[in-house]
């Protein structure tokens, strides 16, 4: 038995997901649907599946659940949260420009910036709450040995790989500035896949980890590539951009008093670590296309 599900394909800086309004459509097995639909040759193709639905608390307006391309459920996605803000407003589900979004890592506030005609969303700023550098109990606290990867690391005595939690775990590795070529980290997809996958599954991270490779290329501007837990290489990662900016400030590579620009394969996000100790992420959200897909039941 099958039923037809309407979906919307969206992306934030190239980080693309399939969005389904579960107020209208029930997805009984989102883990399986994410695997099948995310396949880029036999499915819709995406970094994962995002469900927009009813909250389980009166403190939020809507709820987001996100499933990676491998079917695992993620705690948070900054790019997806911005896209949800655009989706809700432009599809007429809300006229609010401040939306409380329930996620697995807490309630995030979306501040929608309107175009001049007030019909569309130009960009979205998300309050990503406080970053945490304390390694959670489920992690071993051991920094992985990077010497075996022959990485062009930044000065290890001054700049250290840094663990940052943005509601989900990130490990930020800083690369030597001399290894930048045409504004792209000289880290091939093959190298990023090999090293990223091994670090994601390193014994230091029993629940796996997102991995970022970053290099300071200008004042408060870092070039970053991302290996996402459960999805692999992605064009961008919102929480990863927040983690990278935080790690850069902690390592004295960036100035906290000014916005930090994180340039990724799919675009640039602006990160601010404000006086309330919260991280604020701003960036675009775009519709790609809409369609229908059959759900096997």
């Amino acid at each position: 038995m099958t039923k037809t599900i309407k979906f919307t394909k969206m992306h934030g800086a190239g980080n693309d997901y399939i969005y389904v309004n579960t107020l209208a459509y029930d997805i009984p097995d989102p883990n399986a649907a994410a695997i099948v639909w995310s396949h880029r040759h036999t499915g819709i193709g995406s970094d994962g599946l995002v469900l927009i639905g009813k909250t389980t608390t009166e403190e939020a307006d809507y709820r987001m659940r996100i499933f990676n391309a491998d079917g695992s459920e993620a705690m948070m996605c900054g790019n997806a949260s911005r896209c949800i803000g655009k989706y809700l407003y432009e599809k007429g589900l809300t006229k609010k420009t401040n939306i409380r979004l329930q996620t697995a890592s807490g309630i995030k506030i979306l501040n929608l910036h309107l175009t001049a005609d007030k019909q569309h969303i130009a960009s979205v700023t998300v309050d990503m709450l406080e970053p945490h550098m304390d390694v959670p109990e489920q992690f071993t606290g051991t920094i992985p040995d990077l010497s075996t990867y022959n990485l062009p690391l930044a000065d290890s005595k001054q700049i250290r790989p840094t663990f940052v939690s943005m509601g989900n775990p990130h490990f930020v590795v800083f690369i030597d500035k001399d290894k930048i070529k045409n504004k792209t980290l000289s880290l091939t997809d093959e190298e990023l896949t090999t090293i990223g996958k091994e670090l994601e599954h390193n014994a230091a991270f029993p629940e796996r980890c997102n991995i970022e490779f970053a290099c300071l290329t200008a004042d408060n501007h870092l070039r970053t590539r991302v290996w996402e837990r459960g999805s692999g290489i992605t064009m961008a990662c919102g929480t990863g951009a927040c983690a990278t900016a935080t790690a850069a400030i902690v390592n004295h590579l960036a100035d906290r008093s000014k916005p930090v620009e994180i340039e990724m394969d799919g675009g640039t996000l602006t990160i601010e670590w404000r006086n309330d100790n919260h991280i604020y992420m701003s960036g675009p959200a775009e519709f790609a296309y809409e369609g229908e897909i059959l759900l096997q039941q």
Side-chain angles (χ1 to χ4, degrees), residues 84-97:
I84 285 179
K86 185 178 182 73
Y87 182 105
L88 292 171
Y89 188 89
E90 295 195 12
K91 287 188 172 293
L93 296 177
T94 184
K95 285 302 178 184
K96 292 184 176 182
T97 55

Side-chain angles (χ1 to χ4, degrees), residues 218-235:
D219 182 36
N220 269 37
H221 186 107
L222 290 101
R223 180 66 174 92
T224 303
R225 297 203 73 191
V226 179
W227 176 269
E228 282 201 54
R229 177 179 63 171
S231 292
I233 297 174
T234 55
M235 298 290 286

